[in-house]
Amino acid sequence: MIIEKVVTNIHDLESKDLEKRHKEKVYLESAHLVKRIQRVETDHGRELGIRLKEQKDLQDGDVLYMDDENMIIIDVLSEDLLIIHPRSIYEMGTIAHQLGNRHLPAQFEGDEMLVQYDYLVEDLLKELGIPYTREDRKVKEAFRHIGHSHG
């Protein structure tokens, strides 16, 4: 089966639509969410080819296939993250500037800043006294490196 577009996302479906269908999952690392062409396998052993026509990244909960009885869903694997909890705009600005200088991608959920685990970043957070936790957590979308060069 070749998947060329995302049908919907499970977060946009009503619970009755979810409950009545058999679910197969495709487990992906967050780094694979940016790949528009890839071969994957569901947790039931079904092979799929993904060849997305849109310039849109996959997200956790995306439905690749759905009929009246079945659906195939993207499930992003959890990964090792630093969850930064700045207490002030000053701390947020300080750590954002430091991470920006390192060209590290970040995501935000509420008042939390999420970055992929890096022992150097952990050491920096300790040095700056900025609160953080280290957790295995799912991200909804891929960490994206923004192309940039110092000219």
Side-chain angles (χ1 to χ4, degrees):
M1 178 186 306
I2 303 292
I3 305 298
E4 294 184 330
K5 68 177 186 167
V6 172
V7 177
T8 187
N9 191 288
I10 59 170
H11 305 295
D12 298 330
L13 293 172
E14 295 183 21
S15 60
K16 65 178 179 161
D17 292 325
L18 285 171
E19 292 168 8
K20 73 178 185 180
R21 290 183 171 89
H22 173 262
K23 293 162 206 62
E24 286 186 59
K25 293 186 176 182
V26 172
Y27 293 101
L28 291 180
E29 295 176 15
S30 69
H32 291 208
L33 296 173
V34 298
K35 293 175 148 186
R36 289 186 29 243
I37 300 172
Q38 58 185 309
R39 182 175 300 274
V40 297
E41 188 173 312
T42 70
D43 59 347
H44 289 58
R46 184 189 318 213
E47 285 195 22
L48 304 174
I50 298 175
R51 184 176 59 220
L52 299 178
K53 292 182 177 183
E54 286 185 356
Q55 286 276 19
K56 183 179 177 249
D57 293 345
L58 294 168
Q59 294 185 359
D60 184 55
D62 276 350
V63 178
L64 301 178
Y65 172 81
M66 182 167 62
D67 63 21
D68 290 340
E69 299 172 359
N70 301 294
M71 61 191 329
I72 299 174
I73 305 166
I74 297 289
D75 193 345
V76 178
L77 298 169
S78 61
E79 58 185 291
D80 194 5
L81 301 175
L82 291 171
I83 314 299
I84 304 169
H85 309 276
R87 295 167 291 212
S88 67
I89 192 73
Y90 176 79
E91 283 185 349
M92 177 52 100
T94 299
I95 195 60
H97 178 75
Q98 292 287 337
L99 296 177
N101 280 341
R102 292 170 169 79
H103 301 283
L104 291 178
Q107 293 184 22
F108 298 88
E109 290 183 7
D111 293 340
E112 299 175 329
M113 179 183 218
L114 286 64
V115 296
Q116 291 171 309
Y117 179 78
D118 180 303
Y119 74 93
L120 294 172
V121 173
E122 185 175 38
D123 289 347
L124 176 65
L125 290 164
K126 287 177 186 173
E127 180 183 318
L128 296 172
I130 297 175
Y132 72 94
T133 55
R134 183 176 175 184
E135 300 175 20
D136 271 340
R137 190 191 281 192
K138 276 188 194 189
V139 293
K140 294 180 181 110
E141 53 193 51
F143 283 96
R144 272 213 159 304
H145 287 274
I146 296 174
H148 173 78
S149 64
H150 294 277

